[in-house]
Amino acid sequence: PPTAPPVTSTTPPASTPTPPMPQPTAELPTVKPRLEPPVKAPTAKPLPGPAVAAPTVTPSPPVVAKVEPLPAPVPSSPSQTALSAIPAPPVKEAVATSPTLHLLVVGINQYRDKALRLKYAVQDGQAIVDIIRQTGAPLFHKVRVISLFDDQVTRKGLGQAFQRVKETIVPQDVFMLYLAGHGVTLDGRYYFLPQDFRYYNEDAVRKDAINQDHLQSWLADIPARKSLVLIDTCESGSFSQSMVAMRGMAEKTAIAKLTRATGRATIVAATDVQPAAEGYQGHGVFTYVLLQGLHHADAQYGNRDGYTGLFELAAYVNDQVPTITMNAFNFEQIPQVHMVGTDFPIGVVSISKS
């Protein structure tokens, strides 16, 4: 009888602590299986990966072998792209960066009016073309020449020639205009006489000659940033002595105005009425000096770098024309030089320096 009470008192406290303990342990295994699937998933993916890569490698070599010559070296290594780009750009850059020289040459010997006919204007123009092609070939990508001689030199013909230049020239190109024939100055304005011109009086010059407005308009349509205008014009005995006497300062004023209006560097022969000025070594004195200057200006008046620059040629002409005319004909022919803009090379004398 005394043993029964202690048995009943111990059983209820022993049963209560055991059921709550396994519950928290059951929650932990439920979290672990959730973590296990993502771990198993990446381990399972690399297994099929190499199996797939292995068969793809076998067909790829022939495909890569065919493609390698064109695109493969470009993305693969920058060193290869730099080496492969070296030979191509020089050719492309030579075309893109080396300018084209556009030369428009005008010369008139056979004027309709026989009293105005000259001997050397056409030959001078042809000589300018030859020497510019020779000295300009190493410097320019191309030398494009438009020549108008004798009956081709009308107001309409010259306007069409300027239009042809306009259609092909770009701003980085170089433009040169050479005029050889008769030039007249009236009221401080310059006029170039076309081949079909007939002189009656000053009104005929104002009406039928190629005036400063024509030249200014045509030159304004030429987009080249570097340009040079060379004018070798002279007057003949058909004009009065009084006009010739006024020609010096009047033409200087006209050419100065033309230079400012067009923004073009201009070198002009201020020729005298004496016929000897048109016949020196088979050329006009001014053109003869131009031809010589393209060979010697760099050495005698420049920096001797092998290139004839615009300013070097101008200095040569400005000095040599008066010297030659004084020594040969006992009078000074003073050229007019008006430089606008920056200097630039117009020919190569020597390319031996590197």
Side-chain angles (χ1 to χ4, degrees):
T3 58
V7 174
T8 57
S9 61
T10 55
T11 50
S15 59
T16 53
T18 52
M21 292 301 294
Q23 291 178 354
T25 56
E27 294 177 358
L28 294 176
T30 56
V31 178
K32 288 180 181 178
R34 292 178 184 175
L35 297 174
E36 288 175 0
V39 175
K40 291 178 181 179
T43 55
K45 288 180 181 177
L47 292 175
V52 177
T56 55
V57 172
T58 53
S60 61
V63 177
V64 175
K66 293 179 182 178
V67 181
E68 267 181 5
L70 294 177
V74 177
S76 59
S77 66
S79 61
Q80 290 180 354
T81 57
L83 293 174
S84 63
I86 289 174
V91 179
K92 293 181 180 179
E93 289 174 4
V95 176
T97 62
S98 180
T100 295
L101 172 61
H102 299 257
L103 176 62
L104 176 54
V105 173
V106 176
I108 309 172
N109 284 343
Q110 299 299 315
Y111 276 92
R112 180 183 177 186
D113 189 337
K114 294 182 180 180
L116 300 177
R117 291 184 179 178
L118 299 171
K119 293 182 179 180
Y120 301 106
V122 172
Q123 291 88 326
D124 285 350
Q126 293 169 338
I128 288 292
V129 171
D130 293 340
I131 196 169
I132 292 298
R133 278 181 168 155
Q134 175 189 349
T135 61
L139 181 62
F140 299 99
H141 172 57
K142 289 181 181 179
V143 178
R144 292 179 175 173
V145 178
I146 298 178
S147 301
L148 299 180
F149 296 130
D150 286 334
D151 59 356
Q152 298 174 323
V153 188
T154 61
R155 185 188 298 175
K156 180 179 179 181
L158 188 53
Q160 291 174 342
F162 269 97
Q163 180 63 31
R164 289 170 58 190
V165 175
K166 176 184 175 182
E167 292 172 354
T168 57
I169 199 168
V170 294
Q172 62 265 29
D173 289 343
V174 176
F175 173 70
M176 292 180 61
L177 170 65
Y178 173 86
L179 298 177
H182 283 296
V184 182
T185 299
L186 294 176
D187 305 323
R189 295 173 60 81
Y190 179 77
Y191 296 83
F192 180 75
L193 306 186
Q195 186 274 341
D196 55 355
F197 174 81
R198 295 186 67 182
Y199 181 79
Y200 299 106
N201 50 37
E202 292 183 358
D203 290 336
V205 175
R206 295 186 180 95
K207 178 182 176 183
D208 300 326
I210 297 170
N211 61 42
Q212 182 170 318
D213 293 334
H214 295 123
L215 293 174
Q216 179 178 338
S217 176
W218 292 333
L219 289 169
D221 286 337
I222 303 300
R225 300 188 187 99
K226 299 175 181 178
S227 61
L228 173 62
V229 178
L230 304 169
I231 302 179
D232 190 355
T233 58
C234 61
E235 296 191 16
S236 68
S238 65
F239 296 97
S240 66
Q241 186 66 29
S242 60
M243 183 182 295
V244 174
M246 293 175 58
R247 185 173 181 269
M249 285 305 298
E251 184 164 302
K252 283 187 177 183
T253 303
I255 297 301
K257 290 180 179 178
L258 179 64
T259 303
R260 289 193 299 268
T262 60
R264 313 284 173 167
T266 308
I267 306 177
V268 177
T271 55
D272 199 276
V273 68
Q274 298 180 8
E278 205 234 343
Y280 182 80
Q281 301 293 324
H283 298 284
V285 174
F286 175 76
T287 298
Y288 172 80
V289 173
L290 282 177
L291 299 174
Q292 295 297 310
L294 287 169
H295 284 302
H296 305 297
D298 174 60
Q300 298 182 21
Y301 294 84
N303 55 9
R304 301 182 181 181
D305 62 352
Y307 297 90
T308 302
L310 173 62
F311 290 2
E312 294 170 347
L313 181 63
Y316 186 91
V317 171
N318 197 46
D319 181 76
Q320 289 295 310
V321 170
T323 300
I324 290 177
T325 52
M326 177 58 72
N327 293 336
F329 310 115
N330 200 31
F331 75 93
E332 278 192 326
Q333 177 178 317
I334 308 299
Q336 303 162 35
V337 178
H338 300 272
M339 294 293 100
V340 177
T342 59
D343 194 10
F344 58 89
I346 57 178
V348 174
V349 180
S350 172
I351 56 175
S352 58
K353 290 187 177 183
S354 57

